[in-house]
Structure formats: C-alpha cells, structure tokens
Amino acid sequence: MSQSVTGEAPAILLDKVNKWFGVLHVLRDVSMTVAQKEKVVVCGPSGSGKSTLIRCINRLETHQEGRIVVDGTELTDDTRSLDTIRREVGMVFQSFNLFPHLTILENCTLAPIWVRKIPKAEAEELAMSFLTRVKIPEQAKKYPGQLSGGQQQRVAIARALCMRPKIMLFDEPTSALDPEMIKEVLDTMIGLAEDGMTMVCVTHEMGFARQVADRVVFMDRGEIVESGTPAEMFENPQTDRLQLFLSQILRGH
Amino acid sequence: MSAIAPGHHVAQPSREPPPSLIAGPLAWMRTNLFNSWLSTAVTLALGYLVLRMGTSFIQWAFIHAVWTVPMGANGTLDPAACRAAQGVGACWAVIWDKYRFILFGRYPYDQQWRAAIVVVLFIGLFVVSGMRRFWRKELVLIWIGTLTVIGVLMWGGVLGLTYVGQDIWGGLPITLILSTFGLAVAFPLAVLVALGRRSTTMPAVRMLCVLYIELIRGVPLISLLFMASVMFPLFMPEGLNPDKLLRAQVAIILFAGAYLAEVVRAGLQGLPKGQYEAADAIGLGYWRKMGLVILPQALRLVIPPLVNTFIGFFKDTSLVLIIGIFDLLTSGKVAVAEPIWQAYSTEVYIVLALIYFAFCFSMSRYSRGLEREFGKSVRR
Ligand SMILES: Nc1ncnc2c1ncn2[C@@H]1O[C@H](COP(=O)(O)OP(=O)(O)O)[C@@H](O)[C@H]1O
Ligand SMILES: [Mg+2]
C-alpha cells in the first residue's frame, strides 16, 4: 500500500520484527513500511510497545528477530551501518533530553561539528537557520534550563534537524508539556511535515494525526492491530480494541 | 491559597514579624544558644571551656613564647631560654633554626633555592589551572613546560646546575610531587576505569576494572607502599630496579585511581539515561558521547566528593614516611630528632599542620567556588 505512494524504495521497512525484554515479548511480528515523505502516526495504550518500536528504528534498542531496513541500510551489529542510520534518522524524545551544560546553540552544533565535521562557523549558521525556523533564534545563547518546556522541545527538534536527517522520529513529543505549549510544538511539526519530511510520530494528538498523517498505526500488546488513513481509523474502527482505545482517548480530552 | 470563599474566617496577618526574622547577633544568640535552660547551660559550659583553652593557647603560642635563642659558645644555638619557658611558652626558635630543613629536607643547603622555586612553580601551576580562562588546550602545554622546568631544577646536571639525586630530595617538594603527579595521573586513570566498569559491550574490560578497584580498595595504602618498597624489587630482574620514589609514586597513583574511579562512577550513574540516548541519537560515537556530553556533566555532579578525595590523598602522601621517603612530614620529624630540639616537636608539628591546612583549605574553598559557578549555568 505505502509503496504505491511513490515509486521509490521505502524509507523504513520492518519485516516480522520481534523483540523481548527478558521474557517480556514487547514486539510481536511487527511488519510495516514507511514510504519516502510519508507521515505515520503510531498510537496505542501505554505499554503497548510504541516507544520500543520507534527506538528500534534508530537502534537505541536492538531487535532480536526479523529485519529492519532504513533508507536502504539494514540494521545489524555492524557499527558502520549504525553510524549511517544515526546520521539519517533524527529523534525527538518525550523528555527533550537537551544537554543542560551546553547553550542552545552548542546543543545544535555539537553533532554537525563532531559527526558531520562541518566547520564551526558554518555549523552555527546552520543551527541559527533551524532555530529561526522553530522560532527561537533569540534564545541561542541561553542554557536549556532557562527555557520553557515548549521552547526546549522546539530546540530538540532543531538539534535533530541540524544533522539534516531524511527521517524524523518523535516519541510523544508533547506528552510532557503543559497544555498551553503543546500547540507551538505541534505547529513546528506540521511545518516540518509540509516541507516533505518523512516522519514517524508516536502521539495521541488526534487533531495532529488528522491534519498531518498519511496513515495511523494502532498498536496494542506489541502488535500492530490496525492501520489506515486517519479518517478510516477514527470514523470507522474495525476492531474492538481500537474502539475502546479511541473512546478512552476522547474521554480523556 | 488565595481563593478563600467569602465568609470564611481569615486570620489577620500579624503586624510583628516572626521572631526568627528579627536580625542582629543578640536575636541570633537567643534563638540558637539560649532558647532553653538546657541549651543555656551547655552554651555556658562550652563557652567557658573554649575561653579557657583559647586563652591558654594564646598565652603559650604568643605571649610567653620564645621566638629566637642566642648563639651559644660552641657555635650552635643555645636553647636555654626555651628550656626555661618549657610548659609555659612555645619555642618558635626551633622553626627559625630548622625551617629550611623542614621545607627542603636533605636537599643540599646551598642549592635549596632551586627547591624553593619548584614550590613556587607548583603553586603557580595550581593557581593557573584553577582559572577557567586557562581551561584550553594550551593548559596541557603549560603543564608539560612547568613540569619539565621543575624536573630540571630538582635534578640539575644541565645548564650549569649541579646534579642532585632524587634520594636526597626532601620536604615540601616531595609532598607536592607525589600528590600532583599522583592525582594528575590517577584522575584520567580513574575516568577510564569508571567507564570500563560501566561498559556493557566489553565484559572482559569490565571484570578487569572491577578486579582492580576491589583489590586496591581491599588493602590499606600503607601495605601497598610496603609492597612497592620491599616486595616489588624482589620480583624485578637484576639491574632493573626503579627508584624508591617512583615506586611509591606508582603505589599512590594506583591507590588514588581506584578511589577516584568509584567517585566518577557515581557521577556517571547520576545522569539520566536520556542524556546517553540523546547523544546516541544525534550520532556521537562512544568517546565523543562520553567526552562531550556525559563526563562534563558527570564530573560536575561529583565535584564535592572528588575534591574530598583529592584532599584526602594530599594528606595521605605523608604515609610515605614509613618507607623512608623524605616528604614534608618526615623532614619535620627528622628536624626534631636533633638533641637540642627534641623537646619541641609540638611547635614543629603545628607548623606542618598549618602548611597542610593551607593547601587543603585552598582546595576546599576553590571547589566551593566551582560548584557555585557551575550551578549558575546548569539550572535544571
Ligand atoms: N528497557 C526496558 N527493560 C525492560 N522492559 C522494558 C524496557 N523498556 C520498555 N519495557 C517494557 O516494554 C513494554 C513496552 O514499552 P514501551 O515501548 O515503552 O511502551 P509504550 O511506549 O507504548 O508505552 C512495557 O511493558 C515496558 O514496561
Ligand atoms: Mg512510550
């Protein structure tokens, strides 16, 4: 289905991926393809394996069975493939994870300078352009602790973008934010989507999913239970599990 | 708090400030020293003791003290005045007579200016290293340069300086050499060992690090020094017998390394997992991740225990006394072994304590300043 969006090779391919934490089977035969420039929203109850799934895509977690291919590179123990993946895939965490001992600008230039080996002046220029894009260039000289949660999360997005990734992963980027800051982060992500970034985003923001997602994937207990366009999924859920989940989400909001 | 339903009784804010807010030493004393009859009694008793001891110390150390003694008929100092004041006043004349021996040990008397410059260089090196505006790559060069000059001055044998073997070095330079080299080498070692101990990918390295830490921590420094000075030469091939000072230095480095490694490890564990993951996610390799993201934060977290360990080791270098290395404490001890000064060891030990205190207290003040400064930039 997703390959038909464009004719190219998929950005991400998961083929019967299985993962265990000890005896806990957290990913069960997960297969999924994400086409270039496709935006996929992953949702599901807490503990269903959403974080584990997207952390496997940039190999913060290792899977034990199955195949994961990202932008044509299969994820293996080979460190060279790891380096390639980490350059191509940016990640934004729920808890921002900015480096508190570095300024906003230094947070953004660290990887370009040390991994991409870009000269410092050029890296700073690049960082400023992305900070402008997330609308906080004036905070460049401050430290993360001096910024609000929403601002920190936008810096985290800029930091990931500075590596010029082809794919962006988001793990509940707005869950740790106060309600009044959620919009500024979502707007940033919408802007990114409009520019054609390939995105996999774990979120329960249904409005965002409707507006941006090409496809919504619903996970429960380590499996992909259902997937489809936002309209199909939200208006016409096929499984009881998704119905239950949606009713809980709606009640919560 | 502010939303109180109308009709509720609201206590009128009292006009008087709470008692603890009344400033002034008298108020402070009332709340802290005389707030009940028991604390009043304790305060009075302790106050009396402190006053008694303080006055008698001042009388002994200053008022009745003998500062110098005249030269006797046979060309040596005549401590008769000190003997007369014994038990009543201190005999600082021993310091006056022996200070150069205490500071520089058996280093040749006419060459002691070299050792004195070395002490000044060390102190300068510490001060420069402490200033944040020198925290750049050039600092390494400054260290190499200064240590080279220190080596040249201590050994001599070049530039027209007479050669002085390290078996007759002594006093404060020895203490500074042992502690500076000790900590300068032990610290990077400790960082590597701490990282090794937390390695998940190399179990063999982790085991080795655990073994090293546990073995070293399991024995007292004294026995390690004995091993270095007595046992170690037995196992070395004939002719290859590193100098005693070097062996003691190695023992101190290994010992300090194990302790510092545990301090550093605590810092590494204190960081949230997200910091490691964020560094991984932006593609930093292991060494860059550690060097640029993890260690700068981890070490800041453990500045207090780190400096605590530094101070401990500065003082522990005095244990080399038992294997006959002439550090500051040893030279003080030898100074009072001289028959005419034997009765005045207290005075010498007080001076030694002051010297140690000066170094340790500066370290402690400095670390407080560092903590404050880092606290400013890293507010979570
Ligand atoms: N590092 C880990 N070690 C052991 N169990 C884990 C670990 N990370 C996650 N889990 C478990 O795996 C399951 C899936 O977790 P996660 O992927 O975080 O779910 P979600 O993001 O959907 O809430 C949960 O039961 C969680 O407790
Ligand atoms: Mg999660």
Side-chain angles (χ1 to χ4, degrees), chain A residues 101-138:
Chain A
H101 64 300
L102 301 177
T103 63
I104 299 308
L105 189 63
E106 288 165 343
N107 263 278
C108 293
T109 55
L110 192 68
I113 291 175
W114 292 95
V115 182
R116 285 234 190 258
K117 314 272 191 232
I118 295 174
K120 189 170 173 219
E122 203 177 306
E124 285 181 348
E125 207 173 301
L126 181 76
M128 284 313 293
S129 76
F130 281 114
L131 285 174
T132 309
R133 204 162 132 191
V134 301
K135 303 199 176 64
I136 31 178
E138 72 283 359

Side-chain angles (χ1 to χ4, degrees), chain A residues 21-22 24 26 44-53 55 61 171-172 202, chain B residues 273:
Chain A
F21 281 120
L24 189 68
V26 275
S46 170
S48 57
K50 309 179 295 293
S51 296
T52 309
L53 175 74
R55 288 157 59 86
E61 303 286 357
D171 190 0
E172 305 206 30
V202 177
Chain B
K273 210 167 134 239

Side-chain angles (χ1 to χ4, degrees), chain B residues 189-372:
Chain B
L189 173 72
V191 169
L192 289 180
V193 171
L195 291 178
R197 182 161 189 175
R198 282 174 59 80
S199 163
T200 44
T201 48
M202 295 184 290
V205 171
R206 189 176 63 227
M207 292 259 295
L208 208 68
C209 292
V210 172
L211 195 72
Y212 161 69
I213 292 173
E214 296 305 333
L215 271 184
I216 298 283
R217 285 205 307 178
V219 294
L221 178 55
I222 293 199
S223 56
L224 211 61
L225 286 170
F226 267 130
M227 277 194 264
S229 81
V230 183
M231 256 170 64
F232 186 68
L234 298 181
F235 304 127
M236 287 304 277
E238 200 65 38
L240 188 72
N241 195 358
D243 164 79
K244 185 156 79 174
L245 187 61
L246 183 61
R247 280 181 272 141
Q249 179 76 81
V250 170
I252 285 175
I253 288 171
L254 289 178
F255 201 69
Y259 276 85
L260 289 172
E262 286 298 273
V263 175
V264 174
R265 184 169 70 105
L268 293 174
Q269 275 169 342
L271 278 196
K273 210 167 134 239
Q275 291 291 309
Y276 291 84
E277 291 178 349
D280 282 336
I282 57 171
L284 295 178
Y286 179 82
W287 292 110
R288 297 222 170 96
K289 169 171 72 173
M290 290 303 167
L292 298 168
V293 175
I294 303 302
L295 283 172
Q297 295 185 65
L299 295 180
R300 280 170 209 201
L301 279 179
V302 292
I303 289 174
L306 217 50
V307 173
N308 195 30
T309 317
F310 276 23
I311 290 176
F313 273 96
F314 182 77
K315 293 179 296 181
D316 281 356
T317 55
S318 58
L319 287 172
V320 296
L321 176 136
I322 57 135
I323 57 168
I325 287 175
F326 235 80
D327 78 321
L328 184 59
L329 186 62
T330 316
S331 55
K333 208 169 130 73
V334 172
V336 289
E338 201 164 299
I340 60 165
W341 298 126
Q342 259 170 5
Y344 311 106
S345 55
T346 313
E347 286 81 345
V348 170
Y349 286 127
I350 286 177
V351 167
L352 292 184
L354 283 177
I355 296 175
Y356 278 107
F357 179 79
F359 281 98
C360 295
F361 189 65
S362 329
M363 270 193 265
S364 146
R365 296 301 307 184
Y366 176 67
S367 90
R368 291 272 292 277
L370 261 195
E371 272 173 70
R372 242 193 325 272

Side-chain angles (χ1 to χ4, degrees), chain A residues 227-246:
Chain A
S227 78
T229 64
E232 286 168 5
M233 297 282 283
F234 299 151
E235 264 90 70
N236 196 8
Q238 300 295 306
T239 57
D240 295 346
R241 287 202 252 177
L242 178 54
Q243 263 166 21
L244 179 68
F245 174 72
L246 288 174

Side-chain angles (χ1 to χ4, degrees), chain A residues 160-209:
Chain A
L161 292 177
C162 281
M163 281 296 281
R164 299 261 150 132
K166 293 190 181 143
I167 300 167
M168 285 286 284
L169 307 175
F170 296 83
D171 190 0
E172 305 206 30
T174 56
S175 303
L177 294 176
D178 294 334
E180 73 271 19
M181 295 173 186
I182 291 179
K183 186 171 177 302
E184 63 188 56
V185 172
L186 289 182
D187 285 346
T188 309
M189 292 167 62
I190 291 168
L192 203 55
E194 284 165 353
D195 290 349
M197 176 68 76
T198 308
M199 291 163 67
V200 179
C201 182
V202 177
T203 183
H204 293 161
E205 294 293 334
M206 291 307 153
F208 171 80

